[in-house]
């Protein structure tokens, strides 16, 4: 009988504790609520007083932010630095971290997004020309591309390449005054997203010239002579740019590359640049 009396409370208590843990976890309960729950469980199961006090002190170190920063975080970071565990942040990464602000991405990464606020944002919309391009040329290119064949042949059909040039897929960000489409960032993203739903190689081939190519740099920093010559040729596909970033000792961190260039005047008086580099992967090198 005594054994049954001891088992019966546990029969109800354990499921209740599990339910509370699930509810707390699902709703992202703050640490102070978890502290109360843990101490309540220990007290409810008649844990020794020294154990309860020890757990309470330990949890207090994490609940009280000033104590946590001074006692836990500071000493932990010091130990990690002395052990050389923490990776170093390059100049490029530091610039990226310090640049810009947060938008709805803050809500998405919070773990508990405010969908009402997200839906109330003033999002951009596609123009009539941009929507017509997606409903027309983009759909046509998708219908002409077979993803399996692209992977097997390591290339797109010649007809697809010709239509990508004819419809100015490579000039989406180039101003109309230079022969481009002058699409918004939203349209650029929407086009690439639609193409990716059909074939990833197709999407990448369109994405690279519009995001990693020299067009935007030329628009902002090029001379008028450079703009007049290169931008129309980039817009209609006469020139397809490639992207040479990664090196044997550097990945996608531009600050870690060892490539160098020397600007000089040649014997004919022309300003030129002498490059010294070794690359590992060059996007679109085969067709540029």
């Amino acid at each position: 009988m005594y054994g049954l009396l001891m088992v019966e409370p546990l029969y109800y208590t354990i499921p209740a504790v599990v339910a509370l843990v699930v509810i707390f976890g699902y709703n992202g309960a703050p640490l102070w609520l978890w502290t109360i729950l843990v101490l309540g469980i220990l007290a409810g199961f008649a844990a020794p007083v020294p154990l309860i006090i020890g757990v309470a002190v330990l949890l207090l170190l994490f609940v009280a932010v000033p104590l946590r920063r001074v006692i836990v975080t500071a000493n932990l970071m010091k130990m990690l630095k002395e052990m050389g565990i923490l990776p170093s942040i390059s100049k490029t990464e530091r610039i990226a971290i310090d640049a810009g602000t947060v938008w709805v991405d803050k809500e998405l990464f919070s773990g508990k997004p405010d969908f009402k606020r997200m839906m109330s944002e003033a999002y951009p919309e596609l123009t009539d020309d941009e929507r017509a391009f997606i409903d027309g040329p983009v759909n046509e290119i998708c219908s002409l591309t077979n993803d399996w064949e692209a992977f097997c042949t390591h290339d797109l059909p010649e007809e697809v390449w010709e239509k990508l040039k004819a419809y100015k897929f490579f000039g989406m960000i180039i101003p109309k005054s230079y022969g481009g489409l002058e699409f918004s960032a939203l349209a650029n993203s929407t086009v690439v997203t639609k193409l990716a739903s059909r074939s990833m190689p197709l999407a990448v081939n369109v994405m690279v010239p519009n995001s990693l190519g020299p067009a935007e740099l030329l628009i902002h920093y090029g001379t008028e002579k450079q703009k007049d010559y290169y931008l129309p040729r980039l817009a209609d596909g006469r020139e397809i740019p490639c992207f040479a970033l990664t090196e044997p000792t550097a990945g996608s961190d531009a600050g870690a590359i060892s490539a160098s260039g020397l600007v000089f005047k040649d014997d004919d008086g022309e300003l030129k640049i002498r490059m010294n580099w070794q690359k590992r992967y060059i996007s679109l090198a085969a067709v540029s």
Side-chain angles (χ1 to χ4, degrees):
M1 179 64 70
Y2 178 74
L4 290 175
L5 291 174
M6 290 296 294
V7 171
E8 189 172 352
L10 291 177
Y11 182 81
Y12 295 105
T13 304
I14 293 178
V17 170
V18 172
L20 283 173
V21 170
V22 171
I23 293 171
F24 276 36
Y26 182 80
N27 290 283
L31 188 56
W32 63 269
L33 271 179
W34 282 101
T35 301
I36 294 174
L37 177 62
V38 171
L39 294 178
I41 293 173
L42 290 176
F45 283 95
V49 175
L51 176 61
I52 296 176
I53 294 175
V55 171
V57 172
L58 181 63
L59 291 174
L60 181 63
L61 290 177
F62 291 91
V63 174
V65 176
L67 286 176
R68 184 177 70 219
R69 288 175 177 170
V70 174
I71 299 175
V72 180
T73 307
N75 289 301
L76 180 61
M77 292 299 295
K78 181 180 179 181
M79 181 183 69
L80 293 175
K81 288 180 180 179
E82 291 177 351
M83 296 174 64
I85 295 177
L86 293 178
S88 59
I89 298 178
S90 69
K91 182 179 179 182
T92 306
E93 292 168 328
R94 173 57 61 188
I95 293 173
I97 291 172
D98 295 338
T101 57
V102 294
W103 189 42
V104 294
D105 49 331
K106 176 184 177 182
E107 299 291 344
L108 293 173
F109 286 98
S110 69
K112 202 172 183 180
D114 184 348
F115 289 105
K116 185 176 180 180
R117 194 187 78 81
M118 290 174 62
M119 296 305 295
S120 65
E121 289 287 338
Y123 295 101
E125 294 183 357
L126 295 172
T127 65
D128 292 339
D129 289 343
E130 292 169 344
R131 192 168 296 281
F133 185 82
I134 294 168
D135 293 338
V138 174
N139 281 338
E140 182 180 348
I141 290 293
C142 286
S143 67
L144 294 172
T145 305
N146 185 300
D147 193 47
W148 173 246
E149 290 180 1
F151 274 102
C152 289
T153 61
H154 304 290
D155 199 359
L156 297 172
E158 185 62 31
E159 182 182 9
V160 172
W161 280 113
E162 292 304 318
K163 286 191 178 293
L164 288 174
K165 297 175 183 179
Y167 289 133
K168 299 183 178 180
F169 273 83
F170 303 130
M172 288 193 291
I173 68 169
I174 296 175
K176 292 180 179 179
S177 57
Y178 292 102
L181 298 176
E182 201 171 336
F183 280 175
S184 63
L186 173 63
N188 187 359
S189 175
T190 305
V191 169
V192 173
T193 301
K194 181 66 178 290
L195 296 177
S197 70
R198 179 64 177 176
S199 171
M200 190 57 69
L202 173 65
V204 172
N205 283 329
V206 172
M207 178 196 70
V208 170
N210 287 287
S211 61
L212 304 176
E216 189 166 4
L217 292 173
L218 286 167
I219 293 169
H220 291 292
Y221 309 110
T223 64
E224 290 305 318
K225 184 179 179 180
Q226 289 172 331
K227 294 178 184 178
D228 291 338
Y229 178 80
Y230 284 109
L231 290 179
R233 299 173 68 86
L234 290 168
D236 61 22
R238 279 176 290 169
E239 303 282 3
I240 298 179
C242 59
F243 185 65
L245 175 61
T246 56
E247 297 179 350
T249 57
S252 297
D253 180 9
I257 64 176
S258 58
S260 61
L262 176 66
V263 179
F264 67 99
K265 273 193 176 181
D266 206 351
D267 295 337
D268 57 6
E270 288 289 326
L271 197 63
K272 300 180 179 179
I273 181 169
R274 182 179 291 112
M275 302 296 298
N276 177 26
W277 49 267
Q278 181 182 5
K279 296 298 175 178
R280 188 175 186 185
Y281 304 111
I282 303 179
S283 302
L284 290 184
V287 294
S288 67

